[in-house]
Amino acid sequence: MKILAIESSCDETAAAVVEDGRTILSSVIASQVEEHKLYGGVVPEIASRRHCEAINGVVRQALSDAGLTFEGIDALAVTYAPGLIGALLVGVNFAKGLSMATGLPLIPVHHLRSHIASNYLAHPALKPPFLCLVVSGGHSHIVEVRDYTEMKIIGKTRDDAAGEAFDKAARTMGMPYPGGIHLDQAAESGDPLAFRLPHPKVEGAPYDFSFSGLKTAVINLIHNASQKGESLPVADLSASFRKAVVDSLTDNFLRAAEELGYHTLVLAGGVSANSLLRRTMDDACRQKGWQCYYPPLSLCGDNGAMVGAQAYYEYLAGKRADTSLNARATMSIE
Ligand code: KG4
Ligand code: ZN
């Protein structure tokens, strides 16, 4: 079954053709990041406008790269929640129009479920049940993936998402948006023990996260130093911050796996590109004899292929949208 999938939840206009949830026939991504960089973050109004301009060309390119026309497509899929409402609406309305014009069924896909599904494209052996750490710019969840379309959140952030914390700390250190990747690169040559930063725990909720105190600690360190006319070693500060975030993520994730009896652990979302997070999980799972999966770097960020992958399983579970489909800025993964 070949699905043409569309993604426009944030600052990437993307489309892909995916076969049976597992094989990428084409994947096209038009990124707006260079424009948002000028403002230090995504400007929602600009994002919506750029999606409108790009979406037709991106979808046509995805079809032609797959060597197909609409006759060769069995269903359409689109990200409908959560994300920037104006950005989501561009994809949703485009997909509804295509569905009406072609008569193809339309499958609505949750953005975080599709991040998890990016792993199915890279790891043919991976099947639920497993425990997944979903870490993106807007969310940090520990999710029990009981089946392809049956999920339960067992831990989440009480304040900032991990990606948001990375981006804000990086911005304070003068790195361009989105800063997570720059901070990760700077950290590779730094000493993670150079700065003592808080390793936050949430009282009474061992699987929940809190990153705002950690972020504020770094911002205060930088501001205090600059008031004294000093500058801090960026590599050491990046390494110390990265370690604090990754320790918090992996401590809770591994503890949850131990206590709930999961031995297949999966990373998903933009922050799953973090090199220390990947190394730490690899090492921990090797020692325990557990399986650890994460997407290739090309599938960690937002893309259309992951939408096509999850859409296949949503289709098998009977999920369809009609012309009343609307976008939603927030929606639980459950
Ligand atoms: O999943 P994603 O592409 O978009 C959302 O759905 O939010 O995640 C983007 C987030 C950004 O905060 C970005 O800085 C972060 O993922 N990110 C990283 C790395 N690469 C991307 N954070 C830490 N280390 C990285 N290597
Ligand atoms: Zn995302």
Side-chain angles (χ1 to χ4, degrees):
M1 176 178 190
K2 296 189 183 76
I3 297 178
L4 172 64
I6 296 172
E7 151 67 33
S8 70
S9 67
C10 189
D11 57 352
E12 255 91 35
T13 319
V17 180
V18 176
E19 186 161 21
D20 296 337
R22 296 279 176 167
T23 308
I24 302 175
L25 301 185
S26 67
S27 179
V28 179
I29 304 174
S31 177
Q32 312 170 356
V33 72
E34 287 306 318
E35 190 166 0
H36 296 295
K37 229 178 226 175
L38 299 172
Y39 307 97
V42 177
V43 182
E45 175 67 17
I46 294 177
S48 311
R49 284 167 187 264
R50 296 296 167 262
H51 285 308
C52 286
E53 289 161 9
I55 195 157
N56 197 21
V58 166
V59 170
R60 278 175 189 275
Q61 189 69 45
L63 266 182
S64 92
D65 286 359
L68 293 168
T69 63
F70 281 108
E71 273 80 72
I73 298 293
D74 301 296
L76 303 166
V78 67
T79 309
Y80 74 118
L84 299 172
I85 190 71
L88 286 164
L89 276 168
V90 177
V92 165
N93 284 320
F94 192 87
K96 286 202 288 188
L98 272 186
S99 174
M100 277 191 267
T102 58
L104 290 168
L106 177 59
I107 309 158
V109 178
H110 188 285
H111 183 62
L112 297 181
R113 287 189 175 200
S114 68
H115 269 299
I116 296 173
S118 64
N119 284 283
Y120 304 141
L121 297 163
H123 309 297
L126 178 64
K127 291 186 178 71
F130 54 79
L131 196 66
C132 187
L133 179 68
V134 187
V135 270
S136 70
H139 298 85
S140 303
H141 288 345
I142 299 176
V143 180
E144 274 188 83
V145 181
R146 295 174 174 174
D147 205 340
Y148 289 103
T149 57
E150 199 196 321
M151 328 223 163
K152 182 156 173 39
I153 299 173
I154 59 154
K156 61 179 167 207
T157 183
R158 295 295 180 99
D159 39 57
D160 292 351
E164 192 181 353
F166 269 116
D167 291 345
K168 286 180 180 164
R171 186 176 173 170
T172 317
M173 290 185 227
M175 296 169 187
Y177 172 83
I181 186 169
H182 302 286
L183 192 150
D184 189 17
Q185 283 162 358
E188 288 293 291
S189 60
D191 173 7
L193 303 176
F195 290 91
R196 283 174 60 89
L197 294 171
H199 280 52
K201 294 253 178 289
V202 180
E203 197 81 22
Y207 307 147
D208 280 359
F209 306 107
S210 166
F211 296 114
S212 74
L214 180 57
K215 173 197 70 188
T216 308
V218 167
I219 292 173
N220 287 345
L221 270 174
I222 294 169
H223 285 171
N224 289 345
S226 81
Q227 275 167 2
K228 289 189 231 151
E230 297 165 8
S231 64
L232 294 173
V234 167
D236 288 348
L237 191 55
S238 296
S240 304
F241 180 80
R242 182 178 69 166
K243 179 171 163 46
V245 173
V246 169
D247 279 352
S248 167
L249 291 172
T250 54
D251 285 356
N252 293 10
F253 189 34
L254 291 165
R255 177 174 176 170
E258 196 84 62
E259 291 178 356
L260 298 171
Y262 281 94
H263 295 171
T264 303
L265 271 55
V266 175
L267 304 177
V271 181
S272 68
N274 188 268
S275 26
L276 181 66
L277 178 59
R278 293 159 87 99
R279 284 200 295 270
T280 307
M281 286 308 301
D282 274 338
D283 292 348
C285 288
R286 196 177 311 115
Q287 275 176 22
K288 292 173 186 288
W290 295 356
Q291 298 291 318
C292 175
Y293 296 93
Y294 40 74
L297 290 176
S298 60
L299 292 173
C300 286
D302 294 342
N303 63 85
M306 67 186 192
V307 181
Q310 181 62 23
Y312 176 68
Y313 296 103
E314 300 286 351
Y315 182 87
L316 294 182
K319 193 143 178 206
R320 307 281 186 282
D322 58 23
T323 48
S324 67
L325 179 68
N326 204 351
R328 297 261 301 271
T330 57
M331 182 183 281
S332 170
I333 195 172
E334 294 175 352

